[in-house]
Amino acid sequence: MDPLVTPIEYLKGVGPQRAELLRSELNVHTYIDLLQHFPFRYVDRSKFHRVAELHEEMPQAQLRGVLGPLRTMGEKQGRRLTATFSDPSGSVELVWFKGVRWLHTSLKPGQEYILFGKPNVFKGRFNFPHPELELAATWEKGLEAALQPVYRTTEKLTAKGLGSRAIWKLQKTALEQVAGHVPETLSSELVEWLGGVTRDMAFRQIHAPQDQARSDAAIHRLKFEELFFLQLRLLKQKLLLQHQLRGNVFTSVGQHFNSFYTEHLPFELTGAQKRVVKEIRKDMGSGHQMNRLLQGDVGSGKTLVGLLSMLIALDNGFQSALMAPTEILAQQHYATLARFLEGLPVEVRLLTGSTKAAERKSILAALKAGAIHFIVGTHALLEDRVVFQRLGLVVIDEQHRFGVAQRARLWAKSAVPPHVLVMTATPIPRTLAMTLYGDLDTSVIDELPPGRKPIRTVHRYDSSRNAVFGFMEEEITQGRQIYVVYPLIEEADPEKMNGQELKDLTDGFESITRRFPLPKYAVSMLHGRMDQATKDYEMARFKKGETNVLVATTVIEVGVDVPNASVMVIENAERFGLSQLHQLRGRVGRGGEQSFCILMTGEKLGNDARTRIETMVRTNDGFEIAETDLRLRGPGDLMGTLQSGLPELHIADLIADAGLLQQARQVAIRLLDLDPELRDPKHAAIATSLAERSKGKPLWGRIS
Ligand code: ADP
Ligand code: MG
């Protein structure tokens, strides 16, 4: 058996109980899993200090001394455990704020300990918050190192004696066991390019480095390897799609497209729109199925690009579907298309869950017969009874609300899979897009139509609410409409609903109603717990201009277009994430008037919240906002909101290692150019490792 995949319980020092914990706490099942549990930093444990030698600038210090009695101090929030720790040269104070009960049972006052931690000075005395302590009696000699790796561990593991040092010991045992059996995964050419660090060497030098330079080289090699295979998988997938999936060939741009473009289009396309339309035309004429992601900020004119693509499909004798995530958005798209196409011989229809039975019947028949050219709809389009005569293109708006499985159902509607264009207004930072959508082609509309006035964003404290009300009044007097949005986090799940937030919303509604009373004003409220009919009714009233102010939660649909709404007030703005703030702001600024976004917060703001607010005030650029969001929250969290999985990375970091990711992608592209099937014996190691890594793991982020 390959020693690398030996179950972890066979490793000396592990056994069944610890193995169970390693599996459940760290997802470590085998030797190789353990070896890939990489250290996150190194500390110098080669030297011992005396208390008398301590000074404040020391990043860490290691002492040997006796632990004094444990004392519980303070109350409630300030409750802590303290103890004195002394060596012959003096004494220091130890302090713990957490795990007090466990420390009481596990520490042995009066015994000699080895202490390691960061010395701080408090009231003229050295103290160590949460130091590492090990009984001197069981302290193992020979583990002292200038570069001792520190491993992530958990409270449960530590309680079973598997702290960072113990994990390190296991690593060393595992390294001995697998010595000489760690297969290389890269070509010798690449290994050489990476400074000659083989995989075997890399594992040894990361877990037991001889010096800083060698541990750095090992980290670099392992990060590169991880990112390289990530990109290789995505690029292989893309090649596969291109080779296996024939696409309908749209060769001509014909009469419909041309007469629309020259006679019906009320404005000039922006440069970015022209470029993207060209990219789409090229894709759809290539003979391969198009899988393209179109990113563009709210209001950048994606819908029009979708429409132009649909006209090309029509010119080539194919039907198109435009799918939106909600009924309201579908209606809006339908109205837009119908307006644009007025006077053209193009048959457009709308099909949603609320389409009446008789109408549905006639639509379904006409679709099957090919009499409908463009169908706009919601999930209702996915149903089996929706049959097309010749479906050639599917345009999906706001991609992250559709699951992969749902999109796959569209494929089944046509012998040759339709071209797919996915439009999203949720900007995805480039580094992340490369990973999440590395198998897709992406287009970006990075230019707004001319004449748009950038939204002015300001930050106001709750204490200046009266001034904000005054401003709202002015805008209403000029005929504008206003959104006031409250956070309501667990809205989808009433069980988990935060009562305070709901109260904030209803209190806010009441105070706005008092300030803007009937009959002069009309204020309405909208939130997720209202039934669908009421929600639709309130939304429609606002759209028609019958209400001045809409007090709502984030249910105000992504993409809803009310050009007359010019002010977006966001209450408790510190509680929203950046991308959500940006999405909400995108609800205004859709007409010709100057629009405003007012971010209301309390006086006290945490650092991250302050950065979010400042970013919003500074820029309207969705990509810049996405980059900041990514930095603040980390990729996993950001992706959570996009409802896509990210690959598990052991060592590389998509943000910090963005440059290396770029390099890895380039290397992977070059490799596949030279040897797309990886048949060259020189690439055998890469091919084997790639096959292993792909086993049973579906690719994330695929749209179809
Ligand atoms: P998105 O879907 O990207 O948010 P839309 O397609 O809804 O944006 O476009 C927003 C508004 O801008 C629409 O009213 C649309 O008609 C208009 N628009 C689109 N392209 C242009 C253009 N090139 N010049 C002027 N207005 C445009
Ligand atoms: Mg849109």
Side-chain angles (χ1 to χ4, degrees), residues 39 42 197 202 205-206 212-225 651-652 657 660:
Y42 296 93
V197 185
Q205 289 298 336
I206 197 168
Q212 189 70 50
R214 274 182 266 202
S215 93
D216 288 348
I219 291 168
H220 183 77
R221 133 103 217 195
L222 291 167
K223 281 182 173 176
F224 175 86
E225 174 183 341
I651 186 162
D657 302 317
L660 192 61

Side-chain angles (χ1 to χ4, degrees), residues 380-428:
L381 294 179
L382 296 171
E383 290 169 16
D384 288 335
R385 57 182 167 169
V386 180
V387 179
F388 292 83
Q389 189 206 37
R390 236 182 149 204
L391 179 63
L393 170 67
V394 178
V395 179
I396 304 177
D397 196 15
E398 300 300 346
Q399 149 265 348
H400 58 276
R401 298 232 195 143
F402 284 102
V404 174
Q406 289 173 328
R407 294 187 293 250
R409 288 180 65 176
L410 280 165
W411 282 46
K413 296 189 178 292
S414 180
V416 175
H419 296 298
V420 176
L421 178 67
V422 173
M423 309 193 294
T424 176
T426 308
I428 299 158

